[in-house]
Amino acid sequence: MSNKKLAPSILSADLTRLAEEIKKVEEGGADWLHIDVMDGHFAPMITLGPVFVSAIRSITKLPLDVHLMIDNPDGFIEPFSEAGADIMVVSVEVCSHLHYTIQCIKKGGCKAGVCLNPATPLSVLEGIIEDIDMVTLLMVNPGFKGQKFISGLINKVQKLRKMIDERGLQIDIEADGGISQDNIAQVAKAGANVFVTGTAVFSANDYKRAIQDLRGQIKV
Ligand code: DX5
Ligand code: ZN
């Protein structure tokens, strides 16, 4: 069973036909569904909350990878967990009690991830890396779909994979933002194993084909 996962981000889907869009990517072979939650404070956009996640939960079996780009996430861990999140990723830049936050996520039965903005150094992970299931590296600035991939961040993926391997840990590295046919192979080679693919899938005519082509690039 490969550990490489494709996680289409629904922010790039046609939100007027979300149920159909989710069904198409599920049938098209997506591994997870990436749900971008933004509050207009940490991230400059406002997207969706727990009520939407529970609606999505009711129409798909895909693991829900909930990306919390929100201030003070502690107050929303329980609602998102009850809504059906499988993985919850918090933004390290706004977590003043990160160890407590991770404990709360795991206590609720979710896998716990920490997300770093492009300019946030890997050193922030020193005190928490042994406690988490995934690190999400934003390859664009938070807030929007369809942004240009910041190629200079590939070596951040490489350094993170080295940091994880040196500790003998089994932690997913999720590359999030601007992932496409042009860069997914390089990002996989650098050590990422989960790939958020918003525009790369939802802007394609044939989602199944787009997912297959992306998977073909990461040899799984
Ligand atoms: C950006 C989000 C990403 C984004 C991915 O703040 O966290 O998940 O929606 O969309 P694409 O793949 O279009 O960059
Ligand atoms: Zn995201």
Side-chain angles (χ1 to χ4, degrees):
M1 166 86 160
S2 157
N3 78 334
K4 292 202 173 65
K5 309 240 183 291
L6 291 178
S9 155
I10 60 161
L11 190 61
S12 302
D14 174 352
L15 299 178
T16 63
R17 298 181 302 116
L18 190 54
E20 269 171 73
E21 296 277 89
I22 289 171
K23 191 164 180 298
K24 275 164 71 178
V25 292
E26 186 163 12
E27 287 168 356
D31 297 294
W32 293 357
L33 213 49
H34 186 80
I35 301 177
D36 287 308
V37 177
M38 301 181 197
D39 62 359
H41 293 277
F42 175 73
M45 284 289 277
I46 296 176
T47 55
L48 48 86
V51 280
F52 277 89
V53 173
S54 48
I56 293 167
R57 178 74 291 160
S58 69
I59 58 166
T60 179
K61 293 205 176 13
L62 286 177
L64 302 183
D65 169 27
V66 176
H67 183 189
L68 298 177
M69 288 166 276
I70 61 173
D71 279 351
N72 313 313
D74 291 1
F76 290 94
I77 291 169
E78 199 175 322
F80 277 109
S81 182
E82 279 168 12
D86 296 281
I87 305 124
M88 230 182 279
V89 180
V90 290
S91 303
V92 66
E93 296 84 1
V94 287
C95 290
S96 28
H97 307 287
L98 185 54
H99 188 273
Y100 171 73
T101 302
I102 296 298
Q103 278 183 319
C104 292
I105 293 173
K106 294 169 95 167
K107 210 164 64 199
C110 287
K111 284 192 175 292
V114 168
C115 181
L116 278 63
N117 277 352
T120 303
L122 294 175
S123 54
V124 299
L125 295 169
E126 291 297 343
I128 199 70
I129 195 154
E130 315 265 342
D131 301 290
I132 55 179
D133 302 294
M134 181 163 83
V135 177
T136 299
L137 294 183
L138 264 174
M139 314 306 272
V140 295
N141 285 299
F144 305 93
K145 65 183 180 184
Q147 295 182 81
K148 194 168 170 335
F149 177 82
I150 306 172
S151 54
L153 292 169
I154 289 184
N155 70 358
K156 187 174 182 181
V157 176
Q158 234 156 6
K159 284 189 188 131
L160 175 57
R161 181 50 71 195
K162 188 163 172 287
M163 193 175 172
I164 292 169
D165 291 350
E166 277 166 356
R167 289 163 173 79
L169 298 170
Q170 296 298 322
I171 298 179
D172 288 328
I173 298 181
E174 181 176 58
D176 183 9
I179 298 294
S180 71
Q181 283 286 358
D182 307 335
N183 57 45
I184 191 168
Q186 272 183 293
V187 179
K189 195 156 168 272
N193 68 296
V194 180
F195 306 90
V196 177
T197 52
T199 306
V201 168
F202 286 111
S203 67
N205 293 327
D206 178 339
Y207 296 169
K208 182 172 183 160
R209 180 66 201 268
I211 290 170
Q212 284 169 343
D213 290 351
L214 286 160
R215 212 180 282 287
Q217 294 280 338
I218 50 179
K219 308 260 177 300
V220 275

